[in-house]
Amino acid sequence: MTDIHIHESSASSSSSPPRVKTPPKTKAFPVPFFYSPSDDGTDENLLILLHGLGDTHIPFSKLGMQLKLPQTAVLALRASEQVPFLYEESYQWYQSFDDLGEMIERPNPTVGIDLLSKVVDYLVKECKWPPNRIHFFGFAQGGSMASEFGVHWWRQQLQSTKVLPASGDSMSTPPVLSALGSIISISGPLLSYPTLSTLCPTPVLVVHRPPPAEPSLPAGSLTAFKKAYHSVSQVKLSAKGAGMPSSKEEWEPIMRFWSEKLGRRQVEGLYEVISGLST
């Protein structure tokens, strides 16, 4: 005789992160931002959008809403640094120009990394977002910022295993290292050439146009990414275009990447039906 066993899906376990996350408070972040929960009522992923040099978060907040990714909330951040010599709303993630108005060849991204560290720390601790459900999308300088922060976050994870107190219990559970969910950089190279004892497992998609399109990646950019990240894919767009992906065909590989990397939560209240032979 066959027995039918019905039990609640494990997705509704009390140990799971909350299905609807706490929205970030305005005073919690040092910069303006736009946040929207997922349209379908399940905040399983958070997509953080970072604008390029000389822009603000407003166009990227509109982009985040248009994407309508399933089970994905969006957070568009504005950079903290005003671009010098300009009077309109124009921001940068780190100092990009010298006193003469010339582009700095080797900029220091520390200011942007510190900002993102505060933001992600708040999102994890106060809003209950698991790090592996936090995904980044950045354009040009914003892409560089996302990639540099991914390296910084992973380096901190590795460092945390070296400062643990010594224990005589050889059976103690090793710490769980938590990388970020994914990173998409649109024409944004890494600014540094990191050396890591263990490559960061966060999957990275680098989308770029070949020269003479602007912006385009400097030579050797993919090599630098592969010195930091275990999984690096690239998509080459048409050299005839400029800036962000601008057609359905150019967005298709990005959407496919997200379809593979974004998490999925089984809807709460569903039940699994398991059949088995009685004994």
Side-chain angles (χ1 to χ4, degrees):
M1 178 179 180
T2 301
D3 290 339
I4 302 297
H5 305 279
I6 301 177
H7 63 87
E8 192 170 3
S9 169
S10 58
S12 59
S13 169
S14 60
S15 61
S16 299
R19 181 176 63 86
V20 178
K21 305 298 190 296
T22 302
K25 298 179 180 179
T26 302
K27 294 182 179 180
F29 292 172
V31 294
F33 66 91
F34 168 84
Y35 175 83
S36 176
S38 175
D39 282 350
D40 54 29
T42 299
D43 301 329
E44 184 67 8
N45 308 282
L46 176 64
L47 179 63
I48 299 179
L49 300 113
L50 306 181
H51 64 78
L53 174 64
D55 205 348
T56 73
H57 63 299
I58 295 176
F60 281 73
S61 66
K62 296 176 182 177
L63 170 63
M65 295 295 290
Q66 292 171 349
L67 289 171
K68 294 188 180 299
L69 297 173
Q71 299 190 7
T72 302
V74 296
L75 172 66
L77 290 172
R78 199 207 71 187
S80 61
E81 303 289 305
Q82 174 80 43
V83 176
F85 316 114
L86 297 178
Y87 296 99
E88 65 265 21
E89 290 287 295
S90 180
Y91 293 88
Q92 58 188 353
W93 293 101
Y94 44 80
Q95 184 179 356
S96 306
F97 302 93
D98 61 21
D99 293 339
L100 299 176
E102 299 292 332
M103 289 287 293
I104 298 174
E105 290 187 7
R106 296 183 179 274
N108 183 350
T110 300
V111 172
I113 289 175
D114 289 345
L115 169 60
L116 292 182
S117 295
K118 294 176 182 177
V119 168
V120 173
D121 185 65
Y122 175 85
L123 292 170
V124 172
K125 293 180 179 178
E126 302 298 328
C127 301
K128 309 306 179 184
W129 283 103
N132 67 343
R133 289 292 185 257
I134 297 177
H135 304 260
F136 278 86
F137 176 95
F139 172 64
Q141 191 179 96
S144 294
M145 197 69 261
S147 304
E148 288 290 338
F149 178 72
V151 173
H152 171 78
W153 175 270
W154 182 244
R155 185 178 282 118
Q156 283 192 319
Q157 295 289 301
L158 295 176
Q159 186 64 28
S160 67
T161 66
K162 299 178 181 179
V163 297
L164 292 174
S167 173
D169 183 7
S170 60
M171 300 299 291
S172 59
T173 303
V176 177
L177 302 182
S178 184
L180 300 173
S182 71
I183 295 171
I184 295 180
S185 174
I186 309 294
S187 300
L190 271 172
L191 305 175
S192 60
Y193 292 87
T195 54
L196 298 170
S197 58
T198 303
L199 294 181
C200 179
T202 298
V204 173
L205 178 65
V206 181
V207 182
H208 63 100
R209 300 183 189 277
E214 289 291 341
S216 59
L217 287 180
S221 295
L222 268 295
T223 300
F225 272 105
K226 291 178 181 179
K227 289 183 177 180
Y229 292 95
H230 178 72
S231 175
V232 180
S233 305
Q234 70 165 321
V235 171
K236 293 183 180 180
L237 303 180
S238 170
K240 296 180 180 179
M244 287 278 288
S246 57
S247 67
K248 180 179 179 181
E249 290 73 22
E250 290 189 337
W251 274 103
E252 193 277 332
I254 297 173
M255 301 302 289
R256 184 171 64 248
F257 178 83
W258 275 327
S259 72
E260 297 170 351
K261 308 307 179 186
L262 294 177
R264 295 289 187 273
R265 178 188 288 245
Q266 192 171 14
V267 179
E268 293 183 7
L270 292 182
Y271 291 82
E272 294 178 319
V273 179
I274 301 175
S275 62
L277 295 177
S278 61
T279 57

